[in-house]
Amino acid sequence: MRVDPVHAAVGTFFNNSPMFRVPKYQRSYAWEASELEDYLKDLEEAFTKRKNGTPMNHFFGGMVSVESTVTGVVNQKRHELVDGQQRCATCVITVAAVIKIYKDILVEARSDGDTVNEDIILKRIDRLTKRFIEFSQEVNRQNHIVESLILSKADMQFFKETVRNLDPTSTRESHKRIELVYKSLISKINSLIPSASSIADKLDSLEILQLVLDSDFSIIHIVTYDTQEAYKLFQVLNDRGKSLTEGDLLRAKTLELLEGFQTQQNSTEHQWDQILMDKSKSTENYLRWIYQSHKGVRAGRNTLFDDFLNYFYPQDNSTTPITISNADAILLTTQNLNKELIRARKISMGNWPFVSSSRPITGWDRNRLGLLINELGLTVTIPLLLAGYHLGEKKFSETVQLLERFLFRYKIMSNAHIEAAVSIFQTHSVSMRSDPENYNTSMLKSALQALLTSRVTDSQFRISLENLCYKVGGGNKPLKYFLMTLEHYERWFQRGANGNPTCIDKTRIYDFSSTTLEHIYPRNAQIPVLDTNLEPLKNSLGNLTFMGPTDNVAGGNDSFSIKKPIFMASSVEMNKNIGNFPQWTNLEISSRKITLIDMACAIFKI
């Protein structure tokens, strides 16, 4: 492969109508706070040294591009950036920030009637714009406005509006990164120019900053001439320590496979832009959950790219050239992957994945998913839930309720080894996907019940519940979930606890964040309410309840006689039961604790 390396200042590469283009296989803008912090530090140091008359040379890294000619334009070259997009884009954003500050000073000059400096500013803005932002180019005797740098399709419009200071609205993580860099650079450059300075001094400072880019920051630009080789180079090169993510590599590989099939490649590119719109760690989690849901095993810690590629894109292992049917299959796989990722994104936030609910699914049923994921933090269930989606909404809801009751008993309360449960989840994920029409959630229920029988018996569960109490300082989500869940199944329990645990009245939905835990005998009792006999029991399970968001929570530190009518007027049934007690002593606390544990053993039996 022929390569021509050139080592020169950054500004050199933005002379003579530069045309840098980010190819389809490249990722979106990736610099985050850590890379930005380093850049701002380097920029300030170089500015300070040049201002003091001791300019430094700062090696800014490398760029690798594929050079081609522009049809219809003499001596015009186009460079597709294999590596260096982040540096190149950041340089353009830096100049855009400089132009923004020039325009601010222009307002000041016009206000002062300073026509000399007004003319200087306008000429500098024009020169910088034509070098770094856009320029006019004649093609076949017609003039066209050409962008100096074109980013990926997902970023280009936002980037284009940002460098023109049009204040666009960000819609994805890469947009937020571009916005952060632009605003941070404006702030940094303004900090280098004293606000009390004269217009002339401000212009001199900005000129020094331009010289930093034109003379002090240097880059090695490696030019190649083979597009196919560019794909291979891309997969092994990184930007200033910002490693390529598995999603970036998968995007690049699939687009490489589709080279020569433009329609499928363009559509696949669009799908990947949607897939990779989140933070890289979130995307990695989604991809891992999806792989585990399909394959029934976890992807390797360091082999997600290879594992994912081998399973979902077997065309990569073919020894024969890609055909149009292969190209269609790659596109279809990526479209399905995007759909799964959208579901994974929803489920990971505790949001119901079905667009519209049908009977018998209610708001109460949908709320259970949020409790499972957001309040109990049991994201270990997501691969199974992704598979359960294909069973339809009713069976998906059944799966959610099985998992929350099982894992509260198995993991939250008993802290049993999770891998035994994960093994069941993985097996049933594959079964759900392989034959969703004939899969019945009773299969999952039987497997989970068998695990409880062998690992968490009723006696063991009772012991763990004996220790469930209010923790001063926080960490009481499991306790709140426990009390709320008992409330929802209380009528089923009172009617004999026959069959599967069932919420009889699904019209009552308590918002988890708006409910509060309540001590029946006060947690901070003062004389004359203070009772030395009850003090040791005040944080125990029998002395605890919860109040709904519409309940009156006044009287928290009052005596039981004063709180009785508050409990009796509560929307929570268990509070009405508490209000029926004539008094609140050690006996009532102990008796209520036993009742709650009896209820739990029935409800969380699966």
Side-chain angles (χ1 to χ4, degrees):
M1 178 175 63
R2 176 191 166 194
V3 295
D4 293 323
V6 177
H7 180 229
V10 169
T12 303
F13 302 111
F14 283 91
N15 288 325
N16 304 319
S17 303
M19 291 179 66
F20 291 105
R21 304 291 181 258
V22 172
K24 292 179 184 294
Y25 53 81
Q26 267 278 18
R27 56 181 162 178
S28 298
Y29 188 80
W31 269 20
E32 298 187 76
S34 58
E35 290 82 21
L36 173 60
E37 184 179 351
D38 288 343
Y39 177 69
L40 294 176
K41 180 180 177 182
D42 294 340
L43 194 66
E44 181 174 5
E45 182 182 6
F47 173 86
T48 302
K49 286 186 174 294
R50 178 163 279 279
K51 189 173 184 178
N52 292 335
T54 57
M56 60 179 282
N57 179 265
H58 174 70
F59 178 60
F60 193 39
M63 291 197 306
V64 180
S65 69
V66 181
E67 184 179 286
S68 61
T69 58
V70 177
T71 304
V73 184
V74 179
N75 295 325
Q76 178 65 62
K77 304 296 183 184
R78 178 191 292 113
H79 290 92
E80 286 201 354
L81 290 168
V82 177
D83 184 49
Q85 169 194 182
Q86 316 302 326
R87 299 182 189 87
C88 193
T90 304
C91 287
V92 173
I93 296 171
T94 303
V95 172
V98 171
I99 292 174
K100 166 66 170 65
I101 295 169
Y102 269 131
K103 289 180 178 179
D104 293 340
I105 300 172
L106 179 63
V107 173
E108 184 181 350
R110 285 174 172 167
S111 176
D112 292 347
D114 186 348
T115 56
V116 174
N117 281 320
E118 178 184 351
D119 184 60
I120 291 172
I121 293 169
L122 288 171
K123 287 179 179 178
R124 289 188 184 182
I125 291 174
D126 184 63
R127 286 195 297 268
L128 288 174
T129 299
K130 288 177 178 177
R131 288 180 61 196
F132 290 88
I133 309 298
E134 67 179 21
F135 57 88
S136 178
Q137 183 180 81
E138 183 182 312
V139 181
N140 296 326
R141 298 180 303 283
Q142 290 187 350
N143 285 323
H144 300 269
I145 298 299
V146 179
E147 300 289 327
S148 296
L149 172 64
I150 293 181
L151 296 190
S152 64
K153 187 183 298 182
D155 286 344
M156 186 55 210
Q157 188 59 36
F158 185 85
F159 176 77
K160 182 177 179 179
E161 293 179 14
T162 297
V163 298
R164 288 165 173 77
N165 194 40
L166 297 178
D167 195 25
T169 301
S170 60
T171 59
R172 53 188 292 127
E173 282 300 318
S174 55
H175 294 175
K176 294 176 183 177
R177 298 181 193 121
I178 292 170
E179 183 178 45
L180 173 65
V181 171
Y182 180 61
K183 291 183 176 179
S184 298
L185 276 163
I186 291 173
S187 177
K188 170 59 69 175
I189 295 169
N190 274 323
S191 73
L192 299 176
I193 305 172
S195 58
S197 301
S198 66
I199 291 177
D201 287 341
K202 291 177 181 178
L203 296 184
D204 288 346
S205 292
L206 286 176
E207 187 175 25
I208 290 172
L209 192 62
Q210 288 177 226
L211 286 170
V212 168
L213 292 178
D214 276 337
S215 303
D216 300 342
F217 273 32
S218 65
I219 280 179
I220 289 181
H221 184 194
I222 300 174
V223 180
T224 69
Y225 303 89
D226 188 327
T227 301
Q228 290 299 324
E229 290 293 337
Y231 282 103
K232 295 181 175 61
L233 278 171
F234 170 75
Q235 294 177 46
V236 297
L237 293 173
N238 298 320
D239 279 321
R240 200 179 189 189
K242 186 69 178 177
S243 300
L244 298 169
T245 67
E246 287 84 355
D248 295 326
L249 293 170
L250 286 166
R251 180 182 188 275
K253 172 53 72 172
T254 52
L255 295 181
E256 176 190 355
L257 291 171
L258 291 172
E259 191 68 23
F261 299 92
Q262 186 172 359
T263 299
Q264 292 86 344
Q265 190 184 58
N266 289 342
S267 296
T268 300
E269 177 191 14
H270 174 72
Q271 296 298 317
W272 275 112
D273 286 342
Q274 299 301 309
I275 291 168
L276 301 177
M277 68 186 299
D278 302 291
K279 292 182 177 179
S280 57
K281 183 58 181 176
S282 297
T283 301
E284 180 184 343
N285 287 338
Y286 301 149
L287 294 176
R288 287 187 178 278
W289 289 329
I290 291 168
Y291 178 85
Q292 186 178 355
S293 181
H294 279 263
K295 194 74 165 57
V297 296
R298 293 189 180 98
R301 182 182 296 273
N302 299 312
T303 59
L304 175 60
F305 168 71
D306 292 325
D307 294 342
F308 207 94
L309 190 66
N310 290 336
Y311 184 80
F312 287 99
Y313 297 101
Q315 297 85 358
D316 181 55
N317 294 323
S318 176
T319 56
T320 58
I322 296 292
T323 64
I324 191 168
S325 62
N326 295 146
D328 289 338
I330 291 170
L331 171 57
L332 180 61
T333 295
T334 312
Q335 288 171 333
N336 290 334
L337 173 59
N338 188 22
K339 291 176 184 177
E340 288 238 40
L341 193 132
I342 290 170
R343 288 194 283 270
R345 187 182 292 129
K346 287 182 177 179
I347 292 172
S348 71
M349 293 187 289
N351 295 332
W352 200 247
F354 295 87
V355 176
S356 59
S357 295
S358 56
R359 291 184 179 182
I361 303 304
T362 67
W364 184 91
D365 297 293
R366 295 191 294 272
N367 187 54
R368 306 316 292 182
L369 178 62
L371 293 174
L372 176 70
I373 300 298
N374 296 333
E375 311 308 343
L376 298 181
L378 294 168
T379 56
V380 70
T381 61
I382 292 179
L384 179 60
L385 293 174
L386 286 171
Y389 175 88
H390 298 279
L391 304 179
E393 193 172 19
K394 183 175 181 296
K395 290 181 180 179
F396 178 86
S397 180
E398 292 171 0
T399 302
V400 169
Q401 292 174 48
L402 275 173
L403 290 173
E404 62 160 310
R405 296 200 309 272
F406 164 76
L407 283 170
F408 179 79
R409 174 169 175 161
Y410 183 84
K411 181 61 182 175
I412 302 295
M413 291 307 304
S414 305
N415 198 29
H417 201 277
I418 194 64
E419 287 307 313
V422 169
S423 179
I424 292 174
F425 297 166
Q426 291 176 162
T427 298
H428 284 262
S429 292
V430 175
S431 297
M432 288 175 177
R433 287 182 179 277
S434 63
D435 191 5
E437 290 187 4
N438 293 314
Y439 184 89
N440 195 297
T441 54
S442 62
M443 304 173 188
L444 176 63
K445 178 181 177 180
S446 297
L448 297 179
Q449 186 61 63
L451 187 58
L452 287 180
T453 300
S454 64
R455 300 287 180 93
V456 186
T457 63
D458 279 356
S459 59
Q460 291 171 317
F461 187 41
R462 281 183 172 276
I463 292 172
S464 65
L465 291 173
E466 288 281 349
N467 297 320
L468 183 60
C469 61
Y470 181 86
K471 297 178 182 178
V472 178
N476 290 300
K477 278 188 175 184
L479 175 60
K480 188 192 289 190
Y481 165 84
F482 174 79
L483 292 170
M484 290 175 67
T485 301
L486 262 56
E487 168 71 10
H488 285 301
Y489 290 97
E490 193 262 351
R491 293 186 186 179
W492 170 80
F493 180 78
Q494 294 300 334
R495 294 181 185 183
N498 297 314
N500 294 325
T502 305
C503 176
I504 303 299
D505 181 8
K506 292 185 176 182
T507 62
R508 296 182 303 146
I509 305 173
Y510 298 104
D511 178 63
F512 194 89
S513 61
S514 299
T515 57
T516 57
L517 289 172
E518 179 73 14
H519 289 68
I520 303 166
Y521 167 76
R523 182 162 69 96
N524 298 307
Q526 304 294 321
I527 296 174
V529 178
L530 183 67
D531 187 331
T532 55
N533 292 321
L534 297 185
E535 279 292 312
L537 300 176
K538 64 183 180 182
N539 290 325
S540 70
L541 181 59
N543 189 54
L544 300 169
T545 186
F546 75 96
M547 303 297 281
T550 60
D551 290 342
N552 180 6
V553 295
N557 289 321
D558 289 331
S559 66
F560 182 70
S561 60
I562 293 177
K563 294 169 76 171
K564 265 175 62 71
I566 296 176
F567 286 128
M568 294 184 72
S570 171
S571 63
V572 179
E573 286 295 323
M574 69 169 62
N575 291 342
K576 293 178 181 178
N577 295 336
I578 293 168
N580 288 327
F581 284 101
Q583 59 184 353
W584 196 252
T585 68
N586 302 46
L587 181 62
E588 281 77 20
I589 292 175
S590 299
S591 174
R592 183 167 180 272
K593 182 175 182 178
I594 292 172
T595 298
L596 294 179
I597 291 176
D598 287 344
M599 289 177 64
C601 286
I603 293 167
F604 293 100
K605 198 162 189 172
I606 304 301

